[in-house]
Amino acid sequence: LHFHDCFVLGCDASILLDGTATFTGEKTAGPNNNSVRGYEVIDTIKSQVGSLCPGVVSCADIVAVAARDSVVILGGPTWTVRLGRRDSTTASFSAAGTDLPGPNLSLSQLISAFSKKGLTTKEMVVLSGTHTIGKARCTSFRNHIYNDTDIDPAFAASKQKICPRSGGDDNLSPLDGTTTVFDNVYFRGLEEKKGLLHSDQVLYNGGSTDSLVKTYSIDTATFFTDVANAMVRMGDISPLTGTNGQIRTNCRKVN
């Protein structure tokens, strides 16, 4: 949720806005529709925080803190979340469709997409490692399991049982073997050609990022340090501060 927010207009909670008569929200854009979860969780947090200190904590900051706390609860590293973001008063359906890296991108396309947001290739790889938690929809990995060659045949066959060639778009598969634990198993899976998404496996396919994957697959401490630093850097993408934006009372709509 934090990633899909920050890559579209910056870390400004624009992803949380429902569509209105004047703009189409980001929730129904291709990369988000039927995929992003947790809006109700943010609503609950906002309600509780807002009752204690109304008009102080932005929805954008709540998303940033919730991302950190979720990682910690699942066994991952912690980091100091920089605070003071304000909330956007609009959203961009079109930017969500163009700026969020898709599951079928090549390595060079991934590097470019992250570079446009000021993030390095190393940060792209380590942030991809957050796929250690969560699941993906069949529509996101169908092409990889049926058409790509850089995939373990038995792994592909097992996923084809979940994801048919047609239909079942919303069927879910874990992104790695320990999907409720924040660990480095994702990278070990890449070494075994068991990346679920095309955009996962390209990180370890004879290219420039193979060495990073190898490092993170054997060194949890380095992965934890680097992903914590990368999450802070991602949280700094084009925030609204000062008099820009607002502190939304309801994360789903402009004040």
Side-chain angles (χ1 to χ4, degrees):
L1 185 57
H2 188 29
F3 171 70
H4 281 236
D5 178 31
C6 289
F7 263 58
V8 183
L9 306 180
C11 306
D12 60 359
S14 61
I15 193 173
L16 303 179
L17 287 172
D18 292 335
T20 69
T22 56
F23 67 84
T24 303
E26 296 165 19
K27 293 179 179 179
T28 56
N32 297 330
N33 196 34
N34 297 322
S35 291
V36 175
R37 305 282 195 273
Y39 299 119
E40 296 80 9
V41 178
I42 300 299
D43 289 339
T44 300
I45 297 169
K46 178 64 180 180
S47 176
Q48 294 182 15
V49 172
S51 66
L52 292 170
C53 44
V56 175
V57 184
S58 69
C59 300
D61 274 354
I62 287 172
V63 170
V65 173
R68 190 270 315 274
D69 289 359
S70 300
V71 170
V72 172
I73 289 167
L74 295 176
T78 189
W79 58 89
T80 300
V81 180
R82 286 158 58 87
L83 301 173
R85 299 169 191 80
R86 288 165 64 84
D87 300 322
S88 68
T89 55
T90 188
S92 178
F93 176 90
S94 60
T98 58
D99 289 11
L100 286 165
N104 296 311
L105 293 191
S106 67
L107 180 58
S108 61
Q109 289 172 323
L110 286 171
I111 292 171
S112 176
F114 278 73
S115 177
K116 288 176 182 176
K117 302 300 177 182
L119 298 172
T120 66
T121 297
K122 178 181 176 181
E123 288 167 334
M124 180 274 290
V125 173
V126 78
L127 288 170
S128 297
T130 61
H131 282 179
T132 179
I133 54 177
K135 301 179 180 181
R137 296 164 64 222
C138 164
T139 185
S140 297
F141 60 86
R142 178 182 285 122
N143 185 64
H144 182 50
I145 63 174
Y146 285 104
N147 299 322
D148 286 346
T149 56
D150 59 337
I151 186 169
D152 177 79
F155 178 76
S158 70
K159 298 306 176 184
Q160 288 168 4
K161 294 177 181 177
I162 299 171
C163 181
R165 285 186 179 273
S166 62
D169 282 2
D170 291 334
N171 294 352
L172 299 177
S173 175
L175 282 158
D176 85 346
T178 55
T179 189
T180 58
V181 181
F182 197 97
D183 54 24
N184 64 344
V185 167
Y186 166 84
F187 294 106
R188 296 180 201 168
L190 298 187
E191 290 183 318
E192 298 170 356
K193 300 293 184 183
K194 294 179 180 177
L196 183 65
L197 307 178
H198 175 86
S199 57
D200 290 325
Q201 195 57 59
V202 295
L203 302 181
Y204 190 82
N205 193 32
S208 61
T209 54
D210 282 20
S211 59
L212 282 168
V213 171
K214 287 181 180 178
T215 295
Y216 295 139
S217 74
I218 61 174
D219 192 341
T220 300
T222 296
F223 169 48
F224 278 13
T225 297
D226 289 354
V227 76
N229 290 334
M231 288 295 289
V232 172
R233 289 256 297 134
M234 187 183 80
D236 283 346
I237 297 175
S238 304
L240 297 171
T241 57
T243 57
N244 294 319
Q246 60 182 215
I247 307 294
R248 281 189 226 137
T249 302
N250 178 338
C251 290
R252 293 174 180 265
K253 61 184 182 181
V254 177
N255 293 345

